[in-house]
């Protein structure tokens, strides 16, 4: 793509700017080039080659400072040379060697016609400035976006300079020089396309997206704070001649996020955001540009939802940017399903991110829809985010799933798969891998059912990073199945990226050095919760596999991660080849997909029980619970405890309706928990669904609630945890499912539902029931309801406010957010806990049995020893051990006011019923 004739004069114009005589600049006057800033707020490109080497600020609300020296006192005018396609007013501040700074508003406030140098204009800043000899600072601060800058002139002349017309010879020389450069670039692009033709002789077109780079604060927040720059195109690139066709020109004013192709290569499905006041919706169009159709629409109550939940309606702001997410319904990341429907990620679940105290961030989970988009089905109930589904050759949905059930809060974004109806969800890879934090934008390698290409990305900011090849036939607990395709960049920290030190490529992902990292009290030096050593390219995104060695990618070679037009389309391979085949001077390019029909997969299914489906239940068979559970004596496991990890609904937000206004209340947040649940352990509420028996051969057969985040604990005869499951599974209504055992691995032999050799299969399924001392197995887990009464009966007489034997106070007095005994026992380290926020990363590796809970508890051991001749009856001891096995949960709900200052209000520290934990409707406070 060649630049226009006027754009080719960029270099000459900028050269003229520094030619004092060309502007009539007199001796003693000063030119301050925009390319020589003294300081900036981190996103300023002093010479952006995509905009004629102008100074470009890639972001919003930024500031840039320049310095100059005055040798002779006098009255001066300050003038600025800039260009901008739209009004972008800035605040100008002049800092003097002595005296107060001078501020001028609305500088560079007029549009000049484009963002390129051929529309550069001079503007005068204020009137005359009395300047004494010394060093001065000029700072421009953008109200939102920056104009593109050439520089400043400090002069005694009031008249603005005229940008000179170039001589015919100068114009010709500039054209020839830049035309030659463009031809060389286009020749490189042609070489890249030629390589694609060799690799894909039956492919003529590639569909892709042109848009500005998202400015996302986290890998999953493109729709929250990333989609700031509007204008995009869904494009078709002709590999033969490099021409580009826009498929949906009528949508060019909005933002297209991601796209995928139908199996017959006749349609493209994509997500689209029309403007800043609407969410993303799913659309489709023919590959010929015909038949444009919107497939998803906002719910009928969309306006009411926005009015209730939008944060700026309540005076909240978030550090990530100037725009506050309005809590739309966002439908994103679509892909066609084998039956003609489509899968996508959506915020229709209305879940808040658990580690977001201000509750600015929101989750998306996986949905499917009928071909016309009218029938929707939620396939998951995750407590945090799921994203970017693609379809595997066996018909399953591959996607990125973030979770933390007793895991570090910023790790564990592994690859998962499920059937198109949501059944048979299973980890593919990554749940026990600390870094990269995110296995992002994954696709299966053609013809290789266990191999996948993806991007290893950080938790924050944008989800770009290094290209990885994952082979799921290796043990999922290790990094043995991960290989770098792009070793020039790595991701081994919570934030940003790493470049090789001393030129040595990365060959191994970071692994924990000790079991202690799961229970570390604070973020130690090895937890990698900080930043890497770079925030700039090389950075990769959207790898599309041609073979397991060859890929199409979006690639930023050397610019900052959020540079608006830094990402082009490249061919890369695992031998270090990097060849450009498309770039655009204004936009980045994303999501390259070859236009080629592929075989339509079948629709994988599992057996279903219609009777259980009607009851909202699923049937589960554990063939041998000891499989994968190392060093546990056979016969010692007697029960499975069934738990649920609750998402936090938007309706649990800390706001109250006062008159016609929603007013936030404060004081309930703690350690990034929006509504406090624990002291320094996990961030999400857990509830119990009961226990079921395990047979002598290790088999179990039971029902579980469907469409819940279910996880298990293996218990001994005393109802104490031997091993905990640090992940969850969603079961669909009526699903019949089997598993090998506890933490099965890819190397384990598969077992199928209905295996008659298992003892448990020779009897009807078990219904979860209570432990001794419980009225029902289905109940909230609440310290104040479960543990404090036991302490009051047996312990408080010696451990109270007046008599603190052993310096232990177990009185039930309320503290600011908890009570005295709870804080005492947690500070005493009564049992090893997993602190999901400390460290935030590096504590999701596999932990052997007996690592946590009852068996590792000093409190339980003390009680077992007959401390102070106290002998707890079994039902009371079970209350203590169940609490230890819960990782030390205090509250059983997200709802209500927790801070002591709200004591006396009806919603102060409610203890919910089990039924109230199963709904997003705020309870009626008793």
């Amino acid at each position: 793509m060649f630049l226009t004739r006027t754009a080719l004069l960029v270099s000459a114009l900028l050269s003229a700017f520094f030619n004092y005589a060309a502007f009539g600049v007199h001796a003693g006057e000063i030119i301050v080039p925009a390319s020589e800033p003294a300081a900036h707020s981190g996103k300023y490109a002093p010479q952006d080659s995509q905009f004629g080497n102008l100074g470009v600020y890639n972001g919003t609300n930024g500031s840039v400072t320049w310095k100059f020296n005055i040798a002779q006192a006098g009255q001066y005018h300050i003038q600025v040379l800039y260009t901008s396609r739209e009004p972008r007013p800035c605040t100008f501040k002049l800092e003097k060697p002595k005296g107060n700074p001078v501020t001028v508003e609305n500088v560079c406030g007029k549009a000049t016609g484009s963002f390129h140098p051929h529309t550069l204009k001079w503007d005068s800043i204020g009137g005359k400035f009395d300047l004494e000899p010394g060093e001065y600072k000029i700072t421009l601060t953008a109200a939102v976006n920056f104009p593109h800058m050439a520089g400043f002139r400090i002069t005694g002349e009031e008249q603005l300079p005229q940008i000179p017309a170039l001589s015919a010879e100068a114009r010709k020389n500039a054209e020839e020089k830049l035309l030659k450069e463009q031809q060389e670039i286009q020749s490189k692009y042609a070489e890249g396309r030629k390589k694609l033709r060799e690799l894909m002789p039956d492919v003529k077109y590639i569909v892709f997206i042109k848009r500005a780079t998202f400015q996302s604060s986290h890998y999953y927040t493109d729709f929250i704070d990333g989609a700031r720059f509007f204008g995009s195109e869904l494009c078709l690139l002709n590999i033969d001649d490099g021409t580009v066709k826009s498929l949906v020109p009528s949508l060019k004013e909005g933002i297209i996020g991601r796209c995928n192709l139908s199996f017959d290569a006749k349609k493209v499905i994509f997500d689209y955001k029309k403007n800043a006041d609407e969410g993303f919706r799913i659309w489709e169009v023919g590959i010929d540009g015909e038949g444009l159709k919107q497939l998803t629409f906002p719910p009928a109550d969309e306006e009411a939802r926005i009015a209730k939940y939008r944060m700026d309606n309540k005076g909240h702001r978030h550090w990530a940017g100037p725009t506050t997410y309005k809590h739309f319904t966002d439908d994103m990341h679509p892909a066609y399903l084998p039956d003609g429907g489509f899968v996508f990620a959506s915020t229709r679940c209305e879940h808040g991110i658990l580690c977001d105290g201000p509750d600015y961030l929101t989750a998306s989970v996986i949905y499917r829809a009928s071909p016309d988009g009218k029938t929707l089905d939620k396939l998951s109930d995750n407590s945090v985010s799921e994203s970017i589904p693609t379809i595997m050759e066996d018909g399953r949905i591959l996607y990125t799933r973030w979770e933390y059930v007793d895991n570090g809060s910023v790790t564990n974004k592994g690859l998962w798969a499920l059937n198109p109806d949501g059944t048979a969800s299973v980890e593919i890879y990554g749940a026990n891998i600390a870094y990269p934090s995110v296995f992002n934008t994954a696709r299966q390698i053609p013809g290789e059912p266990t191999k996948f290409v993806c991007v290893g990305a950080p938790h924050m900011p944008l989800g770009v990073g290094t290209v990885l090849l994952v082979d799921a036939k290796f043990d999922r607990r290790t990094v043995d199945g991960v290989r770098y395709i792009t070793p020039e960049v790595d991701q081994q920290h919570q934030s940003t990226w790493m470049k090789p030190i001393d030129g040595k490529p990365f060959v191994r992902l970071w692994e924990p050095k000790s079991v202690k990292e799961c229970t570390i009290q604070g973020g130690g030096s090895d937890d990698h919760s900080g930043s890497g050593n770079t925030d700039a390219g090389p950075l990769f995104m959207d790898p599309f596999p041609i073979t397991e060695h060859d890929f199409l990618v979006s690639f930023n070679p050397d610019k900052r991660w959020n540079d608006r037009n830094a990402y082009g389309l490249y061919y890369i391979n695992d031998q270090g080849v990097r060849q450009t085949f498309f770039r655009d001077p204004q936009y980045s390019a994303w999501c390259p997909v070859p236009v080629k029909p592929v075989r339509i997969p079948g629709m994988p299914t599992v057996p279903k029980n219609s009777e259980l489906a009607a009851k909202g239940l699923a049937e589960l068979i554990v063939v041998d619970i000891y499989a994968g559970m190392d060093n546990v004596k056979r016969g010692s496991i007697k029960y499975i405890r069934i738990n649920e990890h609750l998402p936090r609904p938007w309706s649990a937000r800390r706001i109250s309706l006062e008159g016609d206004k929603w007013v936030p209340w404060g004081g309930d947040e703690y350690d990034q928990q929006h509504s406090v649940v624990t002291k320094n352990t996990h961030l999400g509420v857990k509830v119990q669904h009961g226990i079921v028996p395990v047979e002598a051969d290790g088999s179990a057969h039971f029902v579980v609630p469907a469409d819940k985040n279910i996880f298990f604990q293996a218990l001994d005869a005393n109802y104490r945890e031997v091993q905990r499951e640090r992940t969850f599974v969603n079961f669909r209504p009526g699903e019949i499912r089997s598993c090998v055992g506890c933490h099965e691995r890819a190397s384990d032999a598969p077992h199928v539902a209905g295996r008659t050799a298992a003892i448990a299969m020779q009897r009807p399924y078990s219904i979860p029931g209570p432990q001794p001392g419980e009225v029902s197995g289905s109940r909230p887990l609440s310290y104040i309801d479960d543990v404090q009464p036991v302490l009051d009966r047996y312990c408080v007489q010696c451990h109270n406010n007046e008599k603190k034997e052993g310096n232990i106070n177990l009185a039930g007095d309320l503290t600011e957010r908890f009570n005295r005994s709870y804080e005492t026992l947690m500070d005493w380290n009564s049992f090893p806990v997993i602190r999901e926020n400390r460290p935030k990363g590096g504590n999701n590796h596999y932990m052997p049995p007996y690592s946590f809970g009852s068996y590792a508890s000093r409190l339980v051991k003390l009680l077992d020893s007959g401390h102070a001749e106290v002998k707890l009856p079994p039902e009371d001891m079970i209350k203590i051990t169940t609490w230890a096995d819960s990782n030390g949960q205090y509250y059983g709900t997200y709802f209500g006011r927790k801070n002591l200052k709200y004591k006396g209000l009806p919603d102060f520290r409610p203890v919910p019923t089990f039924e109230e934990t199963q709904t997003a409707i705020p309870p009626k406070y008793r």
Side-chain angles (χ1 to χ4, degrees), residues 62-193:
S63 64
V64 185
T65 298
W66 295 266
K67 293 180 180 180
F68 66 93
N69 284 283
I70 291 293
Q72 183 175 348
Q75 290 187 327
Y76 291 84
H77 295 273
I78 301 178
Q79 300 158 350
V80 58
L81 183 61
Y82 75 98
T83 183
S84 183
R85 189 177 63 192
E86 60 195 17
R88 292 187 170 183
C90 296
T91 299
F92 170 90
K93 183 170 71 172
L94 177 67
E95 296 180 72
K96 304 176 180 181
K98 295 183 292 183
N100 296 325
V102 177
T103 300
V104 180
E105 301 291 341
N106 200 33
V107 172
C108 308
K110 296 179 180 179
T112 69
S114 83
F115 291 117
H116 295 275
H118 66 278
T119 60
L120 282 166
K121 299 292 183 184
W122 283 101
D123 189 18
S124 180
I125 299 174
K128 293 182 179 180
F129 295 86
D130 290 319
L131 304 183
E132 300 292 332
E135 184 180 76
Y136 290 78
K137 290 183 181 179
I138 290 173
T139 299
L140 280 188
T141 302
V144 181
N145 296 112
F146 248 86
H148 293 186
M149 303 297 298
F152 299 86
R153 179 189 187 216
I154 296 90
T155 176
E157 298 292 328
E158 182 176 1
Q159 185 176 359
L160 294 175
Q162 296 296 314
I163 296 179
L166 297 177
S167 67
E169 182 179 1
R171 181 181 295 272
K172 180 181 178 182
N173 291 339
E175 285 187 1
E176 289 178 351
K177 177 182 177 182
L178 296 181
L179 184 60
K180 182 179 179 181
E181 293 176 358
Q182 288 295 314
Q183 288 173 334
E184 291 174 351
I185 292 172
Q186 289 299 326
S187 178
K188 292 180 181 179
Y189 295 175
E191 286 297 314
R193 297 197 307 272

Side-chain angles (χ1 to χ4, degrees), residues 196-197 200-206 239-240 594-596:
L196 298 187
R197 172 60 75 206
M200 302 182 295
D202 53 348
V203 173
K204 184 175 181 180
Y205 298 102
I206 291 174
I239 297 177
D240 290 331
V595 179
K596 176 184 177 182

